[in-house]
Amino acid sequence: MRVAILGVGTVGTEVANVLIKNSDLIVSRAGVSITPVVGVVRNLSKHKDSIIPLTDDIDSVINRDDIDVFIELMGGIDKPYEIISKILERKKAVVTANKALLAYYRNELEALAGDTAFGYEASVAGGIPIIKALREGLSANHIQKIMGIMNGTSNYILTNMMNSGVQFDEALKKAQELGYAEADPTFDIGGFDTAHKLLILASIAYCVHAKPEDILIEGISQISSEDIYFANEFEYAIKLLAIAKRGEGTLELRVHPAFISKDKMLANVNGVMNAVSVVGDAVGESLFYGAGAGGSATASAVISDLIDIAREIRNPMLGYKAPLESAPLKLLKPNQIRTKYYLRLKVADEVGVLAKITNLMSQNNLSIDSFLQKAKSKDEGCATLFFTTHTCLEADMLRVINSLENENFIKAKPFMIRIES
Amino acid sequence: MRVAILGVGTVGTEVANVLIKNSDLIVSRAGVSITPVVGVVRNLSKHKDSIIPLTDDIDSVINRDDIDVFIELMGGIDKPYEIISKILERKKAVVTANKALLAYYRNELEALAGDTAFGYEASVAGGIPIIKALREGLSANHIQKIMGIMNGTSNYILTNMMNSGVQFDEALKKAQELGYAEADPTFDIGGFDTAHKLLILASIAYCVHAKPEDILIEGISQISSEDIYFANEFEYAIKLLAIAKRGEGTLELRVHPAFISKDKMLANVNGVMNAVSVVGDAVGESLFYGAGAGGSATASAVISDLIDIAREIRNPMLGYKAPLESAPLKLLKPNQIRTKYYLRLKVADEVGVLAKITNLMSQNNLSIDSFLQKAKSKDEGCATLFFTTHTCLEADMLRVINSLENENFIKAKPFMIRIES
Ligand SMILES: NC(=O)c1ccc[n+]([C@@H]2O[C@H](COP(=O)([O-])OP(=O)(O)OC[C@H]3O[C@@H](n4cnc5c(N)ncnc54)[C@H](OP(=O)(O)O)[C@@H]3O)[C@@H](O)[C@H]2O)c1
Ligand SMILES: NC(=O)c1ccc[n+]([C@@H]2O[C@H](COP(=O)([O-])OP(=O)(O)OC[C@H]3O[C@@H](n4cnc5c(N)ncnc54)[C@H](OP(=O)(O)O)[C@@H]3O)[C@@H](O)[C@H]2O)c1
C-alpha cells in the first residue's frame, strides 16, 4: 500500500518515522507493507534531512494514480477541505488528524466519501482509539453520556494550579516555556479545540450535525486560586470538560471547566494526558486514557487507520449510521442545561448580605448544597463566599448571577463553575 | 443475521435482552438485524420465562443451517472446546466469552477457524474493548508492557481492605454476601481467572502460546492489614495485577498482588471495576477502564463482536499475525523477573537483628530503598519490620527469604509483595 503524506510537520514526520521503524510489525499486522512514497510541504528548504522524498507541488501529488491512501496532516480548514474533496472525488482513501476541518465539514466529507475509506481516529484525543471504541467496541450501546478531558494544554495548566497553588497566569507561562502551550493559547484554553473534538464524537454517537457556534464553550482563564482552594477543601478536581449528555429526545453539548469529585477516574487525569469517559446503556461507564497529542502518539492513531484500510476492514468509518431515532435529537440551548453549580461571590462584610443572597437563590429555585465563608480575605471589609447548589436549571442560575451583579454589596463579578458527576 | 445462544445464564440472558431491547440501534449500526433464534440450556424447567425459544438439545442446534453465528456462553473447557470445534469445522462463525477455554485452546481454535470469524472480545475484562484496542487501535505499536486489574472480586476485596482497614477474611465474607465472590472463591482470589485473561492478551500482543502452568500466579489471600498500613503510609495501593513485560527478546508473564504508587491511574481503579494499561512504543501509555464482568457489560462485548461480523469487517479476529520477531520471544522463568520488592518481617526485638538482616540482603545484591519499623506490635517482644528494595532479581530475593526462614529471630513466615510502576 502506497501512501502520500500531505504536510510533514510534527505529526507527518512521526507517521513517516513509525511506518519505517515499525515496518516489519506493520506488514505482519496489515497483511501488506505500507510505504510512504512522498510527502508534501510548503517550504522545502526547511526539510533537508527528510527520510522520505518531498515536494512542494501538492496538486501533482493528489493526482497521482500510484498512491492508495492520502494522509492529510497540513492543518487549516478551507485548503484541506478543497484538497480532500478532490481526492475523495477520485475515490481514493483519505486519513486525517484535522479536528478543525472535521468540526465544520465532516458531514460534507463523509457524504462525498460514500464507500471510499475516510479515517480520522487521530483527530480526537491523539493516541486514544476513542472513535473506534464508540463505533465498534461499544456498538451495542445507546450512548447516554460522554465526558472528556481532551486538551492537554488546559489540563496541564489546571493540574499545575491544583498541585502547586500557582495562579492561572503563572501556570500558563510555565506551560508556554515547556512547549505545552502556544504563544497564542486562546484556541486551547478558550475551549475551542475541545469543542471541535466533542462535535466529532457527538456526530458519531448521536448523528447530530452541530457546529462550534451552536454549543456552549467556556474556557479556563477565569479560574482563580480561590476556586482551587475550594476544590481542595471539598475533594474536587477542576477540569476542562467536554460533555455530551442525552436526555429524552434531547442532547446537551457543552465545553466548560467543571468540578469533578476526586474519587472519579477523570479527576485523576493529570498533566497533558487526555481521557474520555463513555456511559452506555449495556456496558455502564468505560474510560479511555492516554496521550492526547504529540507527534508519535498521533501517528499511532493515523497508522491504525491505515492498517484498518489495508486489512480491508471495509470502510470502518462509514457503513455505520447513527441509531434510528424515532425523532431526531433536539440540541438543548445552553440555558436549558440542568446541573449542579459552584458560585464564588466577593461581598461586603455587612449584616444581612447572606440573607439577601440566599433569598434571591430560593426565589429562583436554587437550593444550596454547601456553603463556605473563607476565614480571611485579603481585601479589607470583604468576604469571599462559596456556594454549591443541588441540580437546577442553568437559566435560573444565570438569573441569580445577573441580579447579584446589580447589588452594591457584590464587590467582584460573581463567578460560577458547573459541577459534574 | 440469525444467532444461537449456547448457554442462557447470566451473560446469555443479557445478550438476548440487549439484542431485543436495542434492536433498532443494532440494525442501524450493523446494517442488518441480528436475531437470537434459539437458546440452549441444560435444565429447561429453570427457564420458564425466557424471552427466546429454548432447547436442551445442543447437537440439533449446532447442526442447523439457518444459523449464521453461534454464541458460546456455557462455561467449562472440554465440552465447549468440542462444541466450538464442530461448529468451526462447518465454517460457521463463533463468538465466545469463555476465558478458561481460550487460556488452554486458543491456538487450536484459531487454527481451526482459518477464515471463519471467531470473536472473543468478552473473554477479557468484560465490557472493555481491550482486545480490539490491542489488535486494531494500537496496531502501529510494539507493545512494551501490559498491566491490568482484571478480576473484580479481588479488586473489591483489596479496595475494601484499603478503605475500611478490615482484614482479608472479613472483606471476602462481605464480597460473598454482596454476590461479588463465589462460595468457592479460589479461582478469583488465587489469581487464576486473571491469569487466563493475561494469556489471551499476551497471545494477541506477543504471539506467545503459554499455558497457565507456565507462568507465575500468586493470589491475594496473604495480604494482611499490616501491608495495608504500610501501603497507606507510603502512598501505595495494593492491586492484583496481570503483567506482561517485554525485554530484549524476552517476555515476563506474571500475576500477583503488587504495590502501585497512588498517583498512577491503575491505583485509582476501585471496587469491582477493571482496567488495563498498555504501553506502546509510538503511543506511550494508554489505559482502558470499565466493568469487567456482569451480564449486561459482558453482553455489550459479545454483541460488538456480532456487529463486527455483520458489518463484514472480514474476520477481525484473524488475518492478524503477531509481529515477525527475528527470533521468538523467550518466556522468562518466574525467578528471572527483575522488579522492586516490599518485605514484611516479624522479628524478635533483640539487639543485632537489623544488622543481620541488612547484611544478608547486601550479600544477595538487594539494596534497601526504604525501611520502617512499626511503632507498636501486638505480640510482646516482637517487632514488625518493613523494607522496600531497589530493582533486583527475583532469585536473589527468594534466596534472602529462604535464609531468613531458618533464622531463630524470625517469628513469622516472611512476606513479600512486588512493587510495580
Ligand atoms: N501536533 C499534534 O500533537 C496533533 C495532535 C492531533 C492532531 N493534530 C492535527 O494534525 C494536523 C497537523 O498538525 P502538526 O502539528 O503536524 O502541524 P505542523 O507541525 O504545523 O505541520 C504542518 C505541515 O503541513 C505543511 N503544510 C501546511 N500547509 C500546507 C499547504 N498549503 N501545502 C503544503 N503543505 C502544507 C507544512 O509545511 P512546512 O513544513 O513547509 O511549513 C508542515 O510540514 C493538524 O490538523 C492538527 O490539528 C496535531
Ligand atoms: N458472568 C460474567 O460476568 C462473565 C463475564 C465474562 C465472561 N464470562 C464467561 O461467560 C460464560 C458464561 O458465564 P455465565 O456467568 O453466563 O454462566 P452461567 O450463568 O452459569 O450460565 C451458563 C449457561 O450455560 C448452560 N449450560 C452449561 N453447560 C451446558 C451444557 N453442557 N449444555 C447446554 N447448556 C449448558 C446453563 O444451563 P442451565 O441454565 O440449564 O444451567 C446456563 O444457561 C463463561 O465462560 C464465563 O467465564 C462471564
Side-chain angles (χ1 to χ4, degrees), chain A residues 22 29 132 136 139-142 281-282 286-287 289 296 300 320, chain B residues 22 29 132 136 139-141 281-282 286-287 289 296 300 320:
Chain A
N22 287 3
R29 290 184 178 173
K132 183 174 282 280
E136 303 174 28
S139 54
N141 293 265
H142 287 104
D281 61 348
S286 303
L287 178 135
Y289 165 91
S296 163
S300 166
Y320 178 97
Chain B
N22 287 3
R29 291 185 177 173
K132 184 175 280 281
E136 302 174 26
S139 55
N141 294 263
D281 62 347
S286 303
L287 180 137
Y289 166 92
S296 164
S300 166
Y320 178 96

PDB file of all heavy atoms in Angstrom, chain A residues 22 29 132 136 139-142 281-282 286-287 289 296 300 320, chain B residues 22 29 132 136 139-141 281-282 286-287 289 296 300 320:
ATOM      1  N   ASN A  22       8.754   0.689  12.332  1.00  0.00           N
ATOM      2  CA  ASN A  22       7.967  -0.496  12.695  1.00  0.00           C
ATOM      3  C   ASN A  22       7.459  -1.246  11.468  1.00  0.00           C
ATOM      4  O   ASN A  22       6.409  -1.893  11.517  1.00  0.00           O
ATOM      5  CB  ASN A  22       6.784  -0.089  13.585  1.00  0.00           C
ATOM      6  CG  ASN A  22       7.229   0.290  14.985  1.00  0.00           C
ATOM      7  OD1 ASN A  22       8.433   0.296  15.282  1.00  0.00           O
ATOM      8  ND2 ASN A  22       6.285   0.603  15.860  1.00  0.00           N
ATOM      9  N   ARG A  29       0.893  -7.124  10.620  1.00  0.00           N
ATOM     10  CA  ARG A  29      -0.440  -6.822  11.116  1.00  0.00           C
ATOM     11  C   ARG A  29      -1.385  -6.394   9.997  1.00  0.00           C
ATOM     12  O   ARG A  29      -2.589  -6.611  10.078  1.00  0.00           O
ATOM     13  CB  ARG A  29      -0.368  -5.722  12.176  1.00  0.00           C
ATOM     14  CG  ARG A  29       0.280  -6.274  13.430  1.00  0.00           C
ATOM     15  CD  ARG A  29       0.314  -5.303  14.568  1.00  0.00           C
ATOM     16  NE  ARG A  29       0.907  -5.966  15.743  1.00  0.00           N
ATOM     17  CZ  ARG A  29       1.197  -5.367  16.868  1.00  0.00           C
ATOM     18  NH1 ARG A  29       0.955  -4.073  17.017  1.00  0.00           N
ATOM     19  NH2 ARG A  29       1.734  -6.026  17.873  1.00  0.00           N
ATOM     20  N   LYS A 132     -12.814   4.493  17.357  1.00  0.00           N
ATOM     21  CA  LYS A 132     -13.049   3.058  17.159  1.00  0.00           C
ATOM     22  C   LYS A 132     -13.866   2.477  18.310  1.00  0.00           C
ATOM     23  O   LYS A 132     -14.753   1.658  18.100  1.00  0.00           O
ATOM     24  CB  LYS A 132     -11.713   2.325  17.032  1.00  0.00           C
ATOM     25  CG  LYS A 132     -11.864   0.837  16.755  1.00  0.00           C
ATOM     26  CD  LYS A 132     -10.540   0.158  16.497  1.00  0.00           C
ATOM     27  CE  LYS A 132     -10.017   0.413  15.125  1.00  0.00           C
ATOM     28  NZ  LYS A 132     -10.665  -0.454  14.112  1.00  0.00           N
ATOM     29  N   GLU A 136     -17.226   0.807  17.257  1.00  0.00           N
ATOM     30  CA  GLU A 136     -17.170  -0.652  17.190  1.00  0.00           C
ATOM     31  C   GLU A 136     -17.236  -1.296  18.564  1.00  0.00           C
ATOM     32  O   GLU A 136     -18.113  -2.100  18.832  1.00  0.00           O
ATOM     33  CB  GLU A 136     -15.891  -1.085  16.447  1.00  0.00           C
ATOM     34  CG  GLU A 136     -15.824  -0.490  15.048  1.00  0.00           C
ATOM     35  CD  GLU A 136     -14.503  -0.769  14.329  1.00  0.00           C
ATOM     36  OE1 GLU A 136     -13.872  -1.795  14.619  1.00  0.00           O
ATOM     37  OE2 GLU A 136     -14.107   0.054  13.478  1.00  0.00           O
ATOM     38  N   SER A 139     -20.576  -0.703  20.189  1.00  0.00           N
ATOM     39  CA  SER A 139     -21.637  -0.570  19.189  1.00  0.00           C
ATOM     40  C   SER A 139     -22.980  -1.130  19.638  1.00  0.00           C
ATOM     41  O   SER A 139     -24.003  -0.820  19.037  1.00  0.00           O
ATOM     42  CB  SER A 139     -21.210  -1.226  17.867  1.00  0.00           C
ATOM     43  OG  SER A 139     -20.811  -2.568  18.085  1.00  0.00           O
ATOM     44  N   ALA A 140     -23.006  -1.938  20.698  1.00  0.00           N
ATOM     45  CA  ALA A 140     -24.291  -2.474  21.166  1.00  0.00           C
ATOM     46  C   ALA A 140     -25.059  -1.493  22.048  1.00  0.00           C
ATOM     47  O   ALA A 140     -26.200  -1.758  22.412  1.00  0.00           O
ATOM     48  CB  ALA A 140     -24.055  -3.771  21.951  1.00  0.00           C
ATOM     49  N   ASN A 141     -24.435  -0.367  22.375  1.00  0.00           N
ATOM     50  CA  ASN A 141     -24.983   0.536  23.403  1.00  0.00           C
ATOM     51  C   ASN A 141     -25.616   1.815  22.865  1.00  0.00           C
ATOM     52  O   ASN A 141     -25.084   2.445  21.958  1.00  0.00           O
ATOM     53  CB  ASN A 141     -23.842   0.999  24.330  1.00  0.00           C
ATOM     54  CG  ASN A 141     -23.264  -0.120  25.149  1.00  0.00           C
ATOM     55  OD1 ASN A 141     -23.653  -0.325  26.289  1.00  0.00           O
ATOM     56  ND2 ASN A 141     -22.342  -0.866  24.554  1.00  0.00           N
ATOM     57  N   HIS A 142     -26.731   2.228  23.471  1.00  0.00           N
ATOM     58  CA  HIS A 142     -27.119   3.631  23.399  1.00  0.00           C
ATOM     59  C   HIS A 142     -26.120   4.408  24.246  1.00  0.00           C
ATOM     60  O   HIS A 142     -25.901   4.044  25.410  1.00  0.00           O
ATOM     61  CB  HIS A 142     -28.513   3.859  23.985  1.00  0.00           C
ATOM     62  CG  HIS A 142     -29.614   3.344  23.115  1.00  0.00           C
ATOM     63  ND1 HIS A 142     -30.285   2.193  23.392  1.00  0.00           N
ATOM     64  CD2 HIS A 142     -30.136   3.833  21.966  1.00  0.00           C
ATOM     65  CE1 HIS A 142     -31.195   1.979  22.443  1.00  0.00           C
ATOM     66  NE2 HIS A 142     -31.121   2.964  21.567  1.00  0.00           N
ATOM     67  N   ASP A 281     -25.739   2.146  27.688  1.00  0.00           N
ATOM     68  CA  ASP A 281     -26.830   1.547  28.468  1.00  0.00           C
ATOM     69  C   ASP A 281     -26.566   0.092  28.828  1.00  0.00           C
ATOM     70  O   ASP A 281     -27.065  -0.388  29.850  1.00  0.00           O
ATOM     71  CB  ASP A 281     -28.204   1.728  27.796  1.00  0.00           C
ATOM     72  CG  ASP A 281     -28.296   1.081  26.434  1.00  0.00           C
ATOM     73  OD1 ASP A 281     -27.255   0.670  25.870  1.00  0.00           O
ATOM     74  OD2 ASP A 281     -29.424   0.987  25.910  1.00  0.00           O
ATOM     75  N   ALA A 282     -25.757  -0.625  28.045  1.00  0.00           N
ATOM     76  CA  ALA A 282     -25.454  -2.012  28.416  1.00  0.00           C
ATOM     77  C   ALA A 282     -24.174  -2.090  29.238  1.00  0.00           C
ATOM     78  O   ALA A 282     -24.106  -2.781  30.237  1.00  0.00           O
ATOM     79  CB  ALA A 282     -25.327  -2.883  27.167  1.00  0.00           C
ATOM     80  N   SER A 286     -17.318   3.300  30.760  1.00  0.00           N
ATOM     81  CA  SER A 286     -15.965   2.913  30.346  1.00  0.00           C
ATOM     82  C   SER A 286     -15.151   4.180  30.274  1.00  0.00           C
ATOM     83  O   SER A 286     -15.697   5.264  30.061  1.00  0.00           O
ATOM     84  CB  SER A 286     -15.944   2.298  28.953  1.00  0.00           C
ATOM     85  OG  SER A 286     -16.782   1.207  28.872  1.00  0.00           O
ATOM     86  N   LEU A 287     -13.835   4.046  30.408  1.00  0.00           N
ATOM     87  CA  LEU A 287     -12.984   5.223  30.287  1.00  0.00           C
ATOM     88  C   LEU A 287     -11.741   4.855  29.499  1.00  0.00           C
ATOM     89  O   LEU A 287     -11.181   3.782  29.669  1.00  0.00           O
ATOM     90  CB  LEU A 287     -12.638   5.753  31.667  1.00  0.00           C
ATOM     91  CG  LEU A 287     -11.713   6.971  31.686  1.00  0.00           C
ATOM     92  CD1 LEU A 287     -12.216   8.019  32.676  1.00  0.00           C
ATOM     93  CD2 LEU A 287     -10.293   6.581  32.042  1.00  0.00           C
ATOM     94  N   TYR A 289      -7.990   6.325  28.330  1.00  0.00           N
ATOM     95  CA  TYR A 289      -6.993   7.286  28.813  1.00  0.00           C
ATOM     96  C   TYR A 289      -5.726   7.167  27.988  1.00  0.00           C
ATOM     97  O   TYR A 289      -5.328   6.065  27.618  1.00  0.00           O
ATOM     98  CB  TYR A 289      -6.708   6.934  30.269  1.00  0.00           C
ATOM     99  CG  TYR A 289      -5.482   7.545  30.908  1.00  0.00           C
ATOM    100  CD1 TYR A 289      -5.564   8.771  31.575  1.00  0.00           C
ATOM    101  CD2 TYR A 289      -4.248   6.892  30.859  1.00  0.00           C
ATOM    102  CE1 TYR A 289      -4.443   9.310  32.184  1.00  0.00           C
ATOM    103  CE2 TYR A 289      -3.126   7.441  31.476  1.00  0.00           C
ATOM    104  CZ  TYR A 289      -3.230   8.655  32.133  1.00  0.00           C
ATOM    105  OH  TYR A 289      -2.136   9.197  32.744  1.00  0.00           O
ATOM    106  N   SER A 296       4.228  11.412  17.932  1.00  0.00           N
ATOM    107  CA  SER A 296       4.308   9.969  17.875  1.00  0.00           C
ATOM    108  C   SER A 296       2.981   9.300  18.278  1.00  0.00           C
ATOM    109  O   SER A 296       2.526   8.350  17.623  1.00  0.00           O
ATOM    110  CB  SER A 296       5.485   9.559  18.771  1.00  0.00           C
ATOM    111  OG  SER A 296       5.448   8.246  19.098  1.00  0.00           O
ATOM    112  N   SER A 300       0.468   7.093  15.864  1.00  0.00           N
ATOM    113  CA  SER A 300      -0.061   5.764  16.205  1.00  0.00           C
ATOM    114  C   SER A 300      -1.505   5.627  15.728  1.00  0.00           C
ATOM    115  O   SER A 300      -1.896   4.597  15.166  1.00  0.00           O
ATOM    116  CB  SER A 300       0.043   5.556  17.719  1.00  0.00           C
ATOM    117  OG  SER A 300      -0.710   4.457  18.148  1.00  0.00           O
ATOM    118  N   TYR A 320     -21.790   2.916   8.816  1.00  0.00           N
ATOM    119  CA  TYR A 320     -22.195   2.969  10.207  1.00  0.00           C
ATOM    120  C   TYR A 320     -23.088   4.174  10.344  1.00  0.00           C
ATOM    121  O   TYR A 320     -22.623   5.302  10.323  1.00  0.00           O
ATOM    122  CB  TYR A 320     -20.955   3.134  11.061  1.00  0.00           C
ATOM    123  CG  TYR A 320     -21.214   3.253  12.533  1.00  0.00           C
ATOM    124  CD1 TYR A 320     -21.115   2.138  13.345  1.00  0.00           C
ATOM    125  CD2 TYR A 320     -21.554   4.464  13.097  1.00  0.00           C
ATOM    126  CE1 TYR A 320     -21.341   2.247  14.698  1.00  0.00           C
ATOM    127  CE2 TYR A 320     -21.788   4.576  14.446  1.00  0.00           C
ATOM    128  CZ  TYR A 320     -21.672   3.456  15.239  1.00  0.00           C
ATOM    129  OH  TYR A 320     -21.893   3.563  16.580  1.00  0.00           O
TER     130      TYR A 320
ATOM    131  N   ASN B  22     -32.281  -3.228  22.158  1.00  0.00           N
ATOM    132  CA  ASN B  22     -31.582  -2.242  21.323  1.00  0.00           C
ATOM    133  C   ASN B  22     -31.603  -2.630  19.847  1.00  0.00           C
ATOM    134  O   ASN B  22     -30.713  -2.266  19.091  1.00  0.00           O
ATOM    135  CB  ASN B  22     -30.123  -2.088  21.796  1.00  0.00           C
ATOM    136  CG  ASN B  22     -30.014  -1.322  23.112  1.00  0.00           C
ATOM    137  OD1 ASN B  22     -31.021  -0.959  23.698  1.00  0.00           O
ATOM    138  ND2 ASN B  22     -28.800  -1.086  23.577  1.00  0.00           N
ATOM    139  N   ARG B  29     -26.564   0.089  13.105  1.00  0.00           N
ATOM    140  CA  ARG B  29     -25.109   0.022  13.204  1.00  0.00           C
ATOM    141  C   ARG B  29     -24.536  -1.174  12.460  1.00  0.00           C
ATOM    142  O   ARG B  29     -23.424  -1.129  11.964  1.00  0.00           O
ATOM    143  CB  ARG B  29     -24.685  -0.022  14.673  1.00  0.00           C
ATOM    144  CG  ARG B  29     -24.968   1.315  15.328  1.00  0.00           C
ATOM    145  CD  ARG B  29     -24.471   1.405  16.739  1.00  0.00           C
ATOM    146  NE  ARG B  29     -24.735   2.763  17.233  1.00  0.00           N
ATOM    147  CZ  ARG B  29     -24.548   3.148  18.486  1.00  0.00           C
ATOM    148  NH1 ARG B  29     -24.070   2.294  19.365  1.00  0.00           N
ATOM    149  NH2 ARG B  29     -24.804   4.390  18.843  1.00  0.00           N
ATOM    150  N   LYS B 132      -9.934  -5.485  20.944  1.00  0.00           N
ATOM    151  CA  LYS B 132      -9.975  -4.620  19.754  1.00  0.00           C
ATOM    152  C   LYS B 132      -8.911  -3.536  19.831  1.00  0.00           C
ATOM    153  O   LYS B 132      -8.258  -3.207  18.835  1.00  0.00           O
ATOM    154  CB  LYS B 132     -11.367  -4.002  19.600  1.00  0.00           C
ATOM    155  CG  LYS B 132     -11.516  -3.181  18.348  1.00  0.00           C
ATOM    156  CD  LYS B 132     -12.938  -2.668  18.159  1.00  0.00           C
ATOM    157  CE  LYS B 132     -13.858  -3.716  17.590  1.00  0.00           C
ATOM    158  NZ  LYS B 132     -13.696  -3.882  16.124  1.00  0.00           N
ATOM    159  N   GLU B 136      -6.358  -3.528  16.896  1.00  0.00           N
ATOM    160  CA  GLU B 136      -6.634  -2.528  15.871  1.00  0.00           C
ATOM    161  C   GLU B 136      -6.195  -1.127  16.297  1.00  0.00           C
ATOM    162  O   GLU B 136      -5.410  -0.491  15.614  1.00  0.00           O
ATOM    163  CB  GLU B 136      -8.125  -2.544  15.513  1.00  0.00           C
ATOM    164  CG  GLU B 136      -8.575  -3.928  15.032  1.00  0.00           C
ATOM    165  CD  GLU B 136     -10.083  -4.023  14.800  1.00  0.00           C
ATOM    166  OE1 GLU B 136     -10.731  -3.000  14.516  1.00  0.00           O
ATOM    167  OE2 GLU B 136     -10.630  -5.147  14.913  1.00  0.00           O
ATOM    168  N   SER B 139      -2.476  -0.887  16.658  1.00  0.00           N
ATOM    169  CA  SER B 139      -1.793  -1.808  15.745  1.00  0.00           C
ATOM    170  C   SER B 139      -0.470  -1.290  15.216  1.00  0.00           C
ATOM    171  O   SER B 139       0.332  -2.058  14.696  1.00  0.00           O
ATOM    172  CB  SER B 139      -2.717  -2.184  14.580  1.00  0.00           C
ATOM    173  OG  SER B 139      -3.184  -1.020  13.932  1.00  0.00           O
ATOM    174  N   ALA B 140      -0.200   0.010  15.346  1.00  0.00           N
ATOM    175  CA  ALA B 140       1.073   0.539  14.855  1.00  0.00           C
ATOM    176  C   ALA B 140       2.222   0.335  15.851  1.00  0.00           C
ATOM    177  O   ALA B 140       3.364   0.622  15.531  1.00  0.00           O
ATOM    178  CB  ALA B 140       0.941   2.039  14.559  1.00  0.00           C
ATOM    179  N   ASN B 141       1.904  -0.166  17.025  1.00  0.00           N
ATOM    180  CA  ASN B 141       2.873  -0.179  18.130  1.00  0.00           C
ATOM    181  C   ASN B 141       3.460  -1.544  18.455  1.00  0.00           C
ATOM    182  O   ASN B 141       2.745  -2.543  18.488  1.00  0.00           O
ATOM    183  CB  ASN B 141       2.182   0.283  19.433  1.00  0.00           C
ATOM    184  CG  ASN B 141       1.756   1.727  19.379  1.00  0.00           C
ATOM    185  OD1 ASN B 141       2.461   2.600  19.860  1.00  0.00           O
ATOM    186  ND2 ASN B 141       0.599   2.004  18.782  1.00  0.00           N
ATOM    187  N   ASP B 281       5.214   1.516  21.782  1.00  0.00           N
ATOM    188  CA  ASP B 281       6.409   2.334  21.517  1.00  0.00           C
ATOM    189  C   ASP B 281       6.078   3.655  20.832  1.00  0.00           C
ATOM    190  O   ASP B 281       6.820   4.622  20.993  1.00  0.00           O
ATOM    191  CB  ASP B 281       7.490   1.542  20.763  1.00  0.00           C
ATOM    192  CG  ASP B 281       7.037   1.057  19.395  1.00  0.00           C
ATOM    193  OD1 ASP B 281       5.829   1.104  19.094  1.00  0.00           O
ATOM    194  OD2 ASP B 281       7.913   0.617  18.625  1.00  0.00           O
ATOM    195  N   ALA B 282       4.968   3.738  20.100  1.00  0.00           N
ATOM    196  CA  ALA B 282       4.609   5.021  19.493  1.00  0.00           C
ATOM    197  C   ALA B 282       3.676   5.820  20.400  1.00  0.00           C
ATOM    198  O   ALA B 282       3.848   7.018  20.597  1.00  0.00           O
ATOM    199  CB  ALA B 282       3.956   4.807  18.129  1.00  0.00           C
ATOM    200  N   SER B 286      -1.487   3.958  27.339  1.00  0.00           N
ATOM    201  CA  SER B 286      -2.936   4.136  27.252  1.00  0.00           C
ATOM    202  C   SER B 286      -3.554   3.285  28.339  1.00  0.00           C
ATOM    203  O   SER B 286      -2.959   2.301  28.770  1.00  0.00           O
ATOM    204  CB  SER B 286      -3.500   3.624  25.928  1.00  0.00           C
ATOM    205  OG  SER B 286      -2.891   4.237  24.853  1.00  0.00           O
ATOM    206  N   LEU B 287      -4.750   3.649  28.766  1.00  0.00           N
ATOM    207  CA  LEU B 287      -5.423   2.842  29.771  1.00  0.00           C
ATOM    208  C   LEU B 287      -6.902   2.725  29.418  1.00  0.00           C
ATOM    209  O   LEU B 287      -7.520   3.699  28.971  1.00  0.00           O
ATOM    210  CB  LEU B 287      -5.235   3.459  31.154  1.00  0.00           C
ATOM    211  CG  LEU B 287      -5.898   2.709  32.306  1.00  0.00           C
ATOM    212  CD1 LEU B 287      -4.966   2.621  33.511  1.00  0.00           C
ATOM    213  CD2 LEU B 287      -7.179   3.414  32.715  1.00  0.00           C
ATOM    214  N   TYR B 289     -10.594   1.393  30.895  1.00  0.00           N
ATOM    215  CA  TYR B 289     -11.236   1.179  32.193  1.00  0.00           C
ATOM    216  C   TYR B 289     -12.713   0.870  32.006  1.00  0.00           C
ATOM    217  O   TYR B 289     -13.362   1.478  31.143  1.00  0.00           O
ATOM    218  CB  TYR B 289     -11.069   2.468  32.995  1.00  0.00           C
ATOM    219  CG  TYR B 289     -11.922   2.627  34.235  1.00  0.00           C
ATOM    220  CD1 TYR B 289     -11.445   2.224  35.472  1.00  0.00           C
ATOM    221  CD2 TYR B 289     -13.183   3.220  34.174  1.00  0.00           C
ATOM    222  CE1 TYR B 289     -12.211   2.395  36.621  1.00  0.00           C
ATOM    223  CE2 TYR B 289     -13.954   3.397  35.318  1.00  0.00           C
ATOM    224  CZ  TYR B 289     -13.459   2.991  36.537  1.00  0.00           C
ATOM    225  OH  TYR B 289     -14.215   3.164  37.672  1.00  0.00           O
ATOM    226  N   SER B 296     -24.730  -7.683  31.667  1.00  0.00           N
ATOM    227  CA  SER B 296     -25.019  -6.674  30.661  1.00  0.00           C
ATOM    228  C   SER B 296     -23.743  -6.104  30.028  1.00  0.00           C
ATOM    229  O   SER B 296     -23.657  -5.931  28.808  1.00  0.00           O
ATOM    230  CB  SER B 296     -25.870  -5.609  31.352  1.00  0.00           C
ATOM    231  OG  SER B 296     -25.913  -4.456  30.649  1.00  0.00           O
ATOM    232  N   SER B 300     -22.494  -6.530  26.116  1.00  0.00           N
ATOM    233  CA  SER B 300     -22.073  -5.427  25.253  1.00  0.00           C
ATOM    234  C   SER B 300     -20.892  -5.855  24.375  1.00  0.00           C
ATOM    235  O   SER B 300     -20.850  -5.561  23.175  1.00  0.00           O
ATOM    236  CB  SER B 300     -21.693  -4.221  26.127  1.00  0.00           C
ATOM    237  OG  SER B 300     -20.998  -3.245  25.398  1.00  0.00           O
ATOM    238  N   TYR B 320      -4.578 -11.434  11.332  1.00  0.00           N
ATOM    239  CA  TYR B 320      -3.733 -10.574  12.135  1.00  0.00           C
ATOM    240  C   TYR B 320      -2.684 -11.468  12.742  1.00  0.00           C
ATOM    241  O   TYR B 320      -2.958 -12.238  13.642  1.00  0.00           O
ATOM    242  CB  TYR B 320      -4.580  -9.942  13.223  1.00  0.00           C
ATOM    243  CG  TYR B 320      -3.831  -9.055  14.152  1.00  0.00           C
ATOM    244  CD1 TYR B 320      -3.804  -7.693  13.941  1.00  0.00           C
ATOM    245  CD2 TYR B 320      -3.148  -9.579  15.240  1.00  0.00           C
ATOM    246  CE1 TYR B 320      -3.111  -6.869  14.810  1.00  0.00           C
ATOM    247  CE2 TYR B 320      -2.452  -8.754  16.102  1.00  0.00           C
ATOM    248  CZ  TYR B 320      -2.447  -7.406  15.884  1.00  0.00           C
ATOM    249  OH  TYR B 320      -1.777  -6.594  16.741  1.00  0.00           O
TER     250      TYR B 320
END
